[in-house]
Amino acid sequence: MVTTTRIVGPDGQPFALADLKEPQTSRTEQLRNEWQGHPSRGLTPSRLAAILVDAEQGSLVAQSELFEDMEERDGHLASEMLKRRGAVIELPWDIVPPSSPFPKEKAAAKQLKELLAEIPGFDELLFDTTDAIGKGYTNLEIEWHQVEGFWLPASVTHRPQSWFQIYRGYREEIRLRDGTADGEPLQPFGWIRHIHKAKSGLLARASLFRVLVWPYLFKNYAVGDLAEFLEIYGIPMRLGKYPPGSSKEDKLTLLRALSELGHNAAGIIPAGMELEFLDAATGDPKAYQAMIDWCERTQSKMILGGTLTSQADGKSSTNALGNVHNEVRKDIRNGDAKQVAATLTRDLIYPIALFNGLTDSLRRSPRMFFPVEETGDIETYSAALPTFVSMGMKISRQWAQERVGIPEPETDETDLLQAPAPARPLGLPVADVAAASAQMSNQPQDPPAKMTGQLDQAVSPALAGWVGQIRDLASQAESLEQLRDGLFALLPDLSLDDYAAAMRVGLAAAALAGHYEILREAGGA
């Protein structure tokens, strides 16, 4: 928990935490009373060019309002943007400590993740942050309050892009419009300021919608022409004739009759006037549809990197091409997630950690992380990693857990899987296993274990001779039948004298061990 009421801001100047309780826009009443201008109404190429030039010169109001209209009135564009923004929202997120963390930093990251769960509407906050993907930038205003001694956002509110302007100093800076030429600098730690560039250059020209605005305009023309064509398609041309000397009222009556005949199939005209029906209106709407399709494909390419993840034409669309386009879409999603994570780390995670005494610098602050890398096949990694480790490769355990999608356990978790005890290797004498077990447990060997070792040593010479002869026979045999015949031929040559002597010793040792156990139990009883 923070122990001071004054914090040093990004500009190096101290300020009081109590000042954060009042949002900056609470003092700008004129912005809250503004109404949208909807510049898309009657939009023409010349009008659009003027709006874009004004934005380059620092006036973002008309361009921002146009971008809002585009997303509201173009269903295809809105659908594609929801796909791109939703791809980031659906990713799991985590709060991780900085690189090479100390135990205190690990604990701070864990506590910070718990504090974030208390922020109301955190998912909506993520969604509003991605609004910058299409419009270039977005600003979310933070209102702070204290909850049981912890400083947390009481609300995070999305503010329209038209409320802001660009101040050009050594670096471009987004400021709040206050009626002056330079604008009002945004309050430190009072905003989440996310800039999402679609291309390099000036901020006013770097938004994705800036590229999409021309296809939007051309599509509107094509849709309007198509609607007008469909309104008259199939309706016969009607020609009215009025006699010389007809008054203006008579001409208007004839015109109304022509209109009623076209839609109501009924009408009246004065005597002496004539109606003539010509051929029905004909034409081909494919030209308008071709323009609409071109505009929508261009929008899909710019937003998602391809067209086969949004619509199929039934000709060139294949499963293989769809998978390729989907991989491009994943690359775009990963790039968006990294930019959003960097902004939230700087403008949300770090302030919460700083105000509550969990960090003292942005460099060592916990950070937001979107695990965008797809996990690998567990079976493949389980087979490959032991081989690499045996070759001397140094592999981080955290890296391996991220690759297979197994999260790092908490430090206080006790119910953890354990590796099984190593089995006795084949061919290892029983005495060696008993000796190793006794040595590991720091317990002296009991008499049966000692006798087992003596028996193994006594039998080893005879067994070694047999095993050696059988190994040589197996290496020379070319078939199972030849090996079988060789074993039959080898059996009469084997001597059992040494083996019989060893057995006598073993049986005597076993009998003495049995007597020892009986005497020990009787003594214990």
Side-chain angles (χ1 to χ4, degrees), residues 161-199:
Q161 280 82 359
S162 58
W163 284 19
F164 303 90
Q165 65 186 64
I166 296 178
Y167 172 77
R168 289 187 182 176
Y170 175 71
R171 295 180 179 178
E172 286 189 309
E173 180 184 350
I174 297 177
R175 292 186 175 183
L176 194 65
R177 288 172 46 221
D178 62 351
T180 64
D182 294 339
E184 181 181 354
L186 299 184
Q187 185 178 16
F189 301 117
W191 296 85
I192 297 177
R193 298 165 292 176
H194 182 46
I195 296 177
H196 205 105
K197 289 189 175 183
K199 61 185 183 68

Side-chain angles (χ1 to χ4, degrees), residues 11 14 39 140 146 208 243 347 521:
D11 56 357
L140 313 180
Q146 279 187 293
L208 180 61
D347 293 340
E521 292 178 2

Side-chain angles (χ1 to χ4, degrees), residues 34-191:
E34 281 188 352
W35 301 96
Q36 294 286 322
H38 298 290
S40 63
R41 296 174 180 172
L43 187 64
T44 62
S46 59
R47 173 59 181 154
L48 175 57
I51 291 175
L52 300 181
V53 171
D54 289 343
E56 295 174 21
Q57 297 176 355
S59 178
L60 301 176
V61 176
Q63 178 175 278
S64 300
E65 293 177 347
L66 176 60
F67 289 169
E68 288 287 346
D69 286 350
M70 289 170 57
E71 197 169 17
E72 180 180 283
R73 299 186 178 188
D74 192 326
H76 181 79
L77 186 148
S79 173
E80 301 293 78
M81 286 303 303
L82 284 176
K83 291 177 185 177
R84 180 160 174 177
R85 297 173 66 180
V88 179
I89 304 304
E90 292 301 319
L91 286 173
W93 59 269
D94 196 6
I95 304 299
V96 298
S99 59
S100 302
F102 297 103
K104 181 180 179 180
E105 293 173 331
K106 292 183 178 179
K110 180 180 179 181
Q111 183 178 4
L112 189 58
K113 186 175 182 179
E114 296 174 354
L115 292 176
L116 286 180
E118 301 182 16
I119 298 179
F122 188 76
D123 291 339
E124 289 79 2
L125 182 155
L126 286 176
F127 182 77
D128 289 339
T129 304
T130 61
D131 190 40
I133 293 177
K135 300 169 185 174
Y137 66 91
T138 188
N139 295 295
L140 313 180
E141 190 171 19
I142 306 176
E143 179 183 0
W144 295 90
H145 69 160
Q146 279 187 293
V147 180
E148 298 179 357
F150 291 99
W151 283 92
L152 293 172
S155 63
V156 182
T157 307
H158 176 274
R159 298 303 184 187
Q161 280 82 359
S162 58
W163 284 19
F164 303 90
Q165 65 186 64
I166 296 178
Y167 172 77
R168 289 187 182 176
Y170 175 71
R171 295 180 179 178
E172 286 189 309
E173 180 184 350
I174 297 177
R175 292 186 175 183
L176 194 65
R177 288 172 46 221
D178 62 351
T180 64
D182 294 339
E184 181 181 354
L186 299 184
Q187 185 178 16
F189 301 117
W191 296 85

